[in-house]
Amino acid sequence: MDSGTSVSQHQRQPWIVGVSGASGTPFAAAVLRGLLAAGESVDLVVSRASRLTLLDETGIAFRDAHWQEDLRGWLARGADGKPHTFDVDVADVRHWAAGDLAAGPSSGSYPAKGMLIVPASTACVAGVALGLSKDLLQRAASVTLKERRKLVVAVRETPLNGQTLKHLVGLDEAGAVVLPASPAFYAGATHIQDLVDFVAGRVLDAAGVPHDLYRRWEGELGGGSRDSRG
């Protein structure tokens, strides 16, 4: 086997995770933890608007120059805001600035498994549906669609107006998975983290990434409530 073949077989192939400005940064954190726990590589794009949301929801300022430190603090935080809830290794995360349109994920030749946008704001949905590519997040999503890779859009907004619904239909027709951030209650949730993990688990299901974030439905009525009571 020549060296070129060896390099090709061991080439890093990440999931691109885009975090837009919608409320719901705990959903993004749970998806990132799930990907890393499954041994997946991650390329992270945090939009300018999402940094304001992250600061508001967690008190964490996400800085390009200190992104690893800030990411660790974010992923360690539970959905209830409690720090040091999780222990996460971010060694296999690569961060790209949202304004870097020359970044790897801006090109179809960049090796990636697909892209997960969590949470997806209505502005982000519109930008991707219309192919605006105004920042790296939107450009990477457009590339994902044109390369026929998996794109999961976890929209987090309510209510939805007609224009956004049209954009979501357009994304569905283009091959994306439109996944509203809507938790279910049959899994026996007893904590806000359980509801967040359910949505994150459904995102990972759509991507085909194994996880154990929630109790799956097995056709038994009341199973989740019995489990939660111990």
Side-chain angles (χ1 to χ4, degrees):
M1 180 182 296
D2 62 42
S3 58
T5 302
S6 178
V7 170
S8 175
Q9 289 183 344
H10 295 88
Q11 188 174 47
R12 182 176 180 274
Q13 192 174 19
W15 282 97
I16 302 167
V17 176
V19 186
S20 79
S23 177
T25 55
F27 294 129
V31 166
L32 288 165
R33 287 192 297 264
L35 288 170
L36 295 172
E40 299 287 346
S41 299
V42 173
D43 276 21
L44 179 63
V45 182
V46 181
S47 77
R48 291 179 62 185
S50 70
R51 297 176 193 224
L52 296 176
T53 307
L54 181 62
L55 181 63
D56 183 56
E57 293 184 344
T58 69
I60 294 174
F62 193 90
R63 303 159 294 174
D64 288 338
H66 304 279
W67 70 268
Q68 288 179 310
E69 174 188 346
D70 298 336
L71 180 62
R72 286 192 202 94
W74 177 24
L75 298 190
R77 186 176 296 263
D80 59 0
K82 184 179 179 180
H84 312 301
T85 300
F86 300 99
D87 183 16
V88 183
D89 183 359
V90 300
D92 206 4
V93 178
R94 184 172 185 178
H95 168 255
W96 299 96
D100 185 3
L101 291 176
S106 68
S107 172
S109 66
Y110 183 77
K113 291 184 176 180
M115 183 173 183
L116 316 175
I117 305 179
V118 188
S121 67
T122 55
C124 173
V125 166
V128 176
L130 297 174
L132 299 182
S133 295
K134 73 171 188 176
D135 61 9
L136 179 60
L137 194 160
Q138 293 184 13
R139 172 59 186 168
S142 295
V143 167
T144 301
L145 287 175
K146 81 179 183 67
E147 296 295 327
R148 302 295 190 265
R149 296 169 184 159
K150 179 74 73 174
L151 175 63
V152 182
V153 181
V155 60
R156 215 303 311 160
E157 184 61 270
T158 190
L160 296 171
N161 64 30
Q163 199 59 47
T164 297
L165 291 170
K166 291 176 182 177
H167 290 150
L168 291 172
V169 169
L171 288 177
D172 175 77
E173 291 174 344
V177 176
V178 175
L179 195 152
S182 302
F185 293 84
Y186 60 75
T190 59
H191 190 277
I192 187 174
Q193 189 67 56
D194 298 326
L195 299 177
V196 168
D197 284 347
F198 180 89
V199 172
R202 296 298 287 149
V203 171
L204 296 177
D205 286 345
V209 175
H211 66 87
D212 57 1
L213 288 176
Y214 68 88
R215 173 188 176 276
R216 297 183 182 278
W217 176 251
E218 296 178 348
E220 181 184 1
L221 292 175
S225 60
R226 285 196 294 275
D227 289 348
S228 65
R229 290 195 298 267

